[in-house]
Structures are given as structure tokens and as C-alpha cells.
Amino acid sequence: MKRIGIFGSGQLGQMIAEEARRLGHQIFCYSPDANSPSAKVGVSEVVGSYDNLQKISEFAQSVDIITFEFENIPKITLEFLNSNFSVKVFPNPDALVIAQDRYLEKSKFRELGFLTANFFLLNKDTKENADPFPFPWIIKTLRFGYDGKGQFKINSRKDYEHFLEFAFTDAKSEYLIEEVVPFQKEISVVLTRFIDGSVSSFGAIENIHKNHILDLSIFPAEIPPEIATKANGMAKALAENLRYVGTMGVEFFIKDSVVYLNEFAPRPHNSGHFSQDCGSHSQFLLHTLAILGYSAPKFIYPNPTVMKNILGNDYNKSITLANILSASDSRYRLHLYSKEDAKPNRKMGHINFTGKIIDTDSRFLEI
């Protein structure tokens, strides 16, 4: 039996913990949040800030393995974990340092020869004469943005001048300007790399967003096989270069059969939630097996599955429909995160349908 410590205590930690506990391991979580989703499934909860190195040291020394369900942890803390303990830490904290900095992330992709949208580092030294490529632009905060937070659409010089009026109140502020790619589809690859270098991958998943938040994931993606193969190869090459151990999600844009690498998440990924009900190993089980030192399963046979996120928006209607579907048809499986407040745009749960999207009840898409 191992003692597994998870940084973060949200729904991803909750679902990792559920798989690890089935295997007989003890689970502990560390985060600033009390009474968290992870704690509500019986995980031992340690509450502390991510920059409290003394408390983090004590937590690290109380477990055998550390992993992450949340990448936006201060760089100083990641460096501290990387250099001060005999405890095993998966994935390598260096991967989180790259993933949480959009400029480092895009630069890593280019270093590996992958196509990305054009990008430009915007700071106090470059802000006055920034003209990297034609409008429109997306300006993103360099760190700590997700689900569309910290993003600004810039269509003209006037928009940019307005942005400058509020963007640099702090001299340390930094942003990334990105070219807008008029893509036809968004896809992701969720894979798990093991300590011995073996890899399990589900292949390409098609993703549909609403208001910058993932709404629907369709597995397998309805794309030509050669595009799926290319995206899968890029994701595997990234994991290999990072010496990654655990599950990761890699996101892509598809435009005219060209594959653009957009970003990666060094943890299980929202688009991989379908795997809980695909008839094979879930992404959370694969992550747990990887950090425990197992090799990749020889085969995974995931069935077509569709995942629908349940947000706090109009939650009563959504949960009513989800309960009706899951109670009346075993192909629907409801997963709730035990969050107390249903706030707008907050992820409260998801529902999976085992089958093809064409076979879903029309109410499924109304959730």
C-alpha cells in the first residue's frame, strides 16, 4: 500500500483518488480549500497555501508519491519539490513550469518542430511597438488562465490601445499575443506515459466549446485517420521530450487538414472524462498505474462514448435532465463532483453516454 499525495483537491483529484483507493492505496490532498470535492469522497485533506514551503515540506514527507490535479502552482514551490525531497514526484514539476507559462509552452512546441499559431511575448518593453502580425489577435495572460479567463479579443489598433489602458498597472505584467487561427475543429489527445517509457493513448477526441468552456467531447473524433495519427504522434513526442510520467491532455486546432498544437495540461483532462464509461481503463486509473510504477496495459479497447459537461448555469434544469436520462437508460452515467454552490460556468459534474452521438436522446444536448 502506498500513500499518494495530490496537489489540488477538486474533481480531478476526487476521480484520481477513487481509482487509487480501489487499488488499496491511501490518498491525501493538499490545497487551500477546505471541504473540497476530494475530501467529500474520504480523502484526507491538508489545507494550506501553495507557497507555504514549510507546510508543503511536512506534507511531502508524509507520503510516498506526489502527483498533481492542478498545474497553477507557484514556480518556487515546483522547484522546491523538484530538489528537496526523496519522495517521488510525477509528473516532473518541470512540465508544470512549462504548461503554466504560455510563452514557454509555445516556445517548447516550436523547439520540437510542431506547428502553432504565431505568437509574441508582450511586456512593458515590447508593448508600445507591438505589431507582430495582422489583426485579429487573442491576448492572453501569460500565467494562470483557464476556461477563457484572462483572454482578450483584439480586432484593431483601437482595441489594442484600449487594452493598454488597463493591462500594465503592474510593471511585471506579461501577456502572449496569439494569431487567431480560423479552425474547423478542436481535438485533444489524452495519453498516459509510464516510467518505463511505454504509452497508452485513447487517440483523438473531438471537443466542442461554449463560451470558452468545454461543453461536449466526442470519442473517437470524427476526423480523417491521418489527422488523428499525426496529433497522436505529436502528443507522444511531447510526453517523451518532457520525460513525462502520468496522464496528460494535449489540445489541437484543425484547419484545412493542418494540425496546430495549441496547449497541454500536465494532468488528467476534462476531455478524457468519457473514459470512465468507455468499457476500458479510465484516464484516472491509467494515471494511477503510471505513478505507481506499472507498465502500460498491453491493450485498451475504448468504445465510442460522448461526454457532456454539467455547469452551474441553469443547474436545476440540467441536473433534472441528467437524472432522468441516467435513471431510464443504462448507457447514460452521471458523475457529480459534490460542489456546494452551483455558480455560473462552474463545472458541477458530467454525464457520459456510451455510444455514438447520433444515438443520444435530444435532451442530452440540452443539459
Side-chain angles (χ1 to χ4, degrees):
M1 181 179 67
K2 297 291 185 181
R3 297 165 299 171
I4 299 173
I6 302 174
F7 272 75
S9 58
Q11 63 263 22
L12 297 179
Q14 180 189 82
M15 290 182 275
I16 294 169
E18 288 171 338
E19 293 285 15
R21 289 178 67 189
R22 289 188 191 104
L23 296 174
H25 302 287
Q26 287 185 293
I27 316 300
F28 305 82
C29 66
Y30 183 100
S31 86
D33 304 314
N35 197 27
S36 63
S38 292
K40 289 177 180 175
V41 296
V43 174
S44 298
E45 183 180 60
V46 177
V47 178
S49 68
Y50 288 127
D51 57 4
N52 186 336
L53 299 186
Q54 178 58 42
K55 197 161 192 176
I56 286 169
S57 176
E58 294 168 1
F59 179 76
Q61 293 176 61
S62 71
V63 298
D64 302 306
I65 299 168
I66 285 176
T67 192
F68 306 92
E69 65 109 51
F70 176 75
E71 64 265 37
N72 289 328
I73 294 167
K75 183 179 178 181
I76 189 172
T77 302
L78 294 171
E79 291 172 342
F80 182 68
L81 287 172
N82 218 11
S83 61
N84 285 274
F85 300 103
S86 58
V87 64
K88 297 176 181 178
V89 182
F90 301 120
N92 185 333
D94 291 343
L96 279 76
V97 171
I98 292 170
Q100 68 182 222
D101 183 309
R102 289 189 165 101
Y103 182 72
L104 289 179
E105 181 182 48
K106 285 288 196 298
S107 298
K108 169 59 75 172
F109 297 163
R110 287 287 182 91
E111 174 192 320
L112 295 175
F114 301 143
L115 180 64
T116 73
N118 289 318
F119 61 95
F120 177 82
L121 181 62
L122 182 67
N123 54 34
K124 63 182 179 61
D125 297 320
T126 62
K127 66 179 182 178
E128 297 302 334
N129 299 308
D131 190 22
F133 30 79
F135 298 108
W137 303 341
I138 296 290
I139 297 183
K140 301 178 179 180
T141 53
L142 208 60
R143 301 175 185 86
F144 307 130
Y146 61 95
D147 289 344
K149 296 179 175 69
Q151 297 189 17
F152 311 90
K153 183 75 176 288
I154 307 295
N155 292 307
S156 65
R157 180 60 54 179
K158 184 176 181 181
D159 285 350
Y160 179 61
E161 290 171 355
H162 174 66
F163 169 80
L164 291 180
E165 291 175 4
F166 64 83
F168 286 95
T169 53
D170 181 346
K172 295 181 179 179
S173 296
E174 292 183 292
Y175 300 87
L176 195 74
I177 300 178
E178 285 190 16
E179 169 191 31
V180 175
V181 175
F183 56 87
Q184 285 95 27
K185 287 195 176 185
E186 292 181 71
I187 66 169
S188 59
V189 170
V190 174
L191 62 78
T192 305
R193 185 173 182 271
F194 294 75
I195 291 173
D196 64 3
S198 56
V199 173
S200 289
S201 174
F202 293 104
I205 305 152
E206 185 172 341
N207 299 314
I208 298 171
H209 290 74
K210 287 184 179 178
N211 300 319
H212 304 287
I213 300 173
L214 182 63
D215 178 55
L216 199 68
S217 289
I218 303 165
F219 175 80
E222 297 176 354
I223 57 175
E226 61 271 20
I227 293 179
T229 297
K230 183 174 180 62
N232 200 52
M234 293 165 72
K236 285 184 176 181
L238 176 63
E240 179 68 28
N241 180 267
L242 295 172
R243 297 174 290 112
Y244 195 89
V245 173
T247 295
M248 67 189 297
V250 188
E251 299 180 16
F252 302 86
F253 297 143
I254 309 299
K255 177 181 180 291
D256 300 330
S257 299
V258 177
V259 182
Y260 292 79
L261 183 45
N262 181 39
E263 62 185 27
F264 81 101
R267 51 170 170 75
H269 194 256
N270 193 175
S271 68
H273 290 357
F274 80 90
S275 63
Q276 291 174 299
D277 300 298
C278 71
S280 186
H281 298 70
S282 77
Q283 65 167 339
F284 304 103
L285 175 57
L286 291 170
H287 182 79
T288 303
L289 293 174
I291 66 175
L292 287 170
Y294 290 84
S295 294
K298 288 187 177 180
F299 303 102
I300 60 172
Y301 294 108
N303 296 312
T305 307
V306 186
M307 188 279 302
K308 183 80 165 62
N309 266 335
I310 300 173
L311 303 184
N313 316 51
D314 204 4
Y315 182 66
N316 288 336
K317 175 187 174 183
S318 294
I319 200 64
T320 297
L321 291 176
N323 278 319
I324 290 171
L325 291 174
S326 61
S328 61
D329 188 333
S330 62
R331 293 176 297 174
Y332 296 93
R333 295 291 300 276
L334 179 60
H335 301 266
L336 297 177
Y337 307 151
S338 302
K339 294 181 179 179
E340 294 184 0
D341 299 318
K343 299 176 182 178
N345 297 327
R346 190 181 198 193
K347 293 172 184 173
M348 302 298 295
H350 63 275
I351 183 169
N352 288 330
F353 173 77
T354 304
K356 297 181 179 180
I357 190 168
I358 195 171
D359 296 321
T360 58
D361 188 297
S362 60
R363 291 171 293 182
F364 179 74
L365 299 180
E366 297 175 15
I367 291 172

